[in-house]
Structures are given as C-alpha cells and as structure tokens.
Amino acid sequence: MRDLYDIATDTINPIKLKKNGKAGHVACALETVSGAVYTGICIDVPCSIGMCAEQAAIAEMLKNGETKIKKIVAVYEDGSILPPCGRCRELISQLDIENENAIVAIDNGREVTLKDLLPERWDKKWD
Ligand SMILES: [Zn+2]
C-alpha cells in the first residue's frame, strides 16, 4: 500500500471559491485498523465556517461504518505535514476509545500517539 503521506499529497487539489474562500489546499489521509484508507480535503471560507481536512476524512470513514484510526496525516499544499488542530484532536478522541493509540504525523519524520497530544483527558470519568 502506498504511504499515507503520498496518498494525502495526491489528494491535494487547491481550488478558489467565491470571494476569499478556498478548498483542497490541505488534504488528509487516514488508515483504519481494518486497513482501509480514507481521504478528505479542507474547506476554508470566511467566517470560519469551513472544516479541516481531517474532518472530511473522518466523515468518509464514518460513512463506511468505521471508527478506529490506526494512522492519520494531513499535508499542506507545500508538502509540509500539519499536526491536527485542537478541535480535530478532540474529535478523533471522541470517536472511539481505541483512538488514543492512533499514530499521528506531526511533522516530517515525527509521529506520536493521540494520547501524547491529549495526555490529560477531561472525559476519563465516562470511559
Ligand atoms: Zn482541525
């Protein structure tokens, strides 16, 4: 299987939207524990009503009935890896308890687990 970075890079397809909007300049590829790969692109429009590429890839994963992420990477149009924002980290954590072990690419050559990014859970009480 191709590396997730290459899949995300191939998914990048920047397009300009009305006024100051754009999309597709960040792409995400994630692999689930089943080995399936899902991709998504960002949507960036004024008033912060767009969404991150991770969220689009997660929606594809959920559409296919999966929740457990093995590895995830997001790539900017210049080829650099973007670590997930705080909202995406929290979203990933709330999909499945096993996602605390998801491998997250945080820059070129560095990978950590989601647990490393969110060490002190606010929701331990409900695990
Ligand atoms: Zn995000």
Side-chain angles (χ1 to χ4, degrees):
M1 182 175 63
R2 288 188 304 151
D3 182 76
L4 282 183
Y5 175 87
D6 292 337
I7 295 169
T9 300
D10 289 348
T11 304
I12 294 170
N13 184 24
I15 58 172
K16 186 164 177 37
L17 305 172
K18 178 183 172 185
K19 289 227 169 191
N20 299 315
K22 55 185 180 175
H25 50 290
V26 178
C28 173
L30 68 82
E31 180 181 354
T32 63
V33 294
S34 76
V37 173
Y38 302 103
T39 61
I41 60 165
C42 68
I43 302 171
D44 187 7
V45 292
C47 301
S48 302
I49 55 174
M51 66 180 184
C52 299
E54 290 93 330
Q55 295 167 40
I58 287 167
E60 281 296 303
M61 174 183 74
L62 296 176
K63 187 178 81 179
N64 285 277
E66 295 197 72
T67 60
K68 296 175 177 39
I69 297 173
K70 180 178 174 186
K71 187 173 180 180
I72 186 166
V73 62
V75 181
Y76 186 60
E77 61 187 334
D78 68 359
S80 61
I81 290 175
L82 296 176
C85 74
R87 185 168 186 253
C88 286
R89 294 176 194 195
E90 187 64 33
L91 174 64
I92 294 165
S93 78
Q94 292 195 31
L95 300 175
D96 194 294
I97 193 166
E98 292 182 31
N99 282 345
E100 67 181 15
N101 298 313
I103 305 290
V104 181
I106 58 170
D107 64 28
N108 294 72
R110 285 205 320 154
E111 297 176 343
V112 297
T113 65
L114 185 65
K115 193 175 5 183
D116 294 326
L117 296 174
L118 295 172
E120 298 295 332
R121 295 296 311 161
W122 62 271
D123 56 352
K124 278 183 184 171
K125 180 178 176 177
W126 296 282
D127 281 347

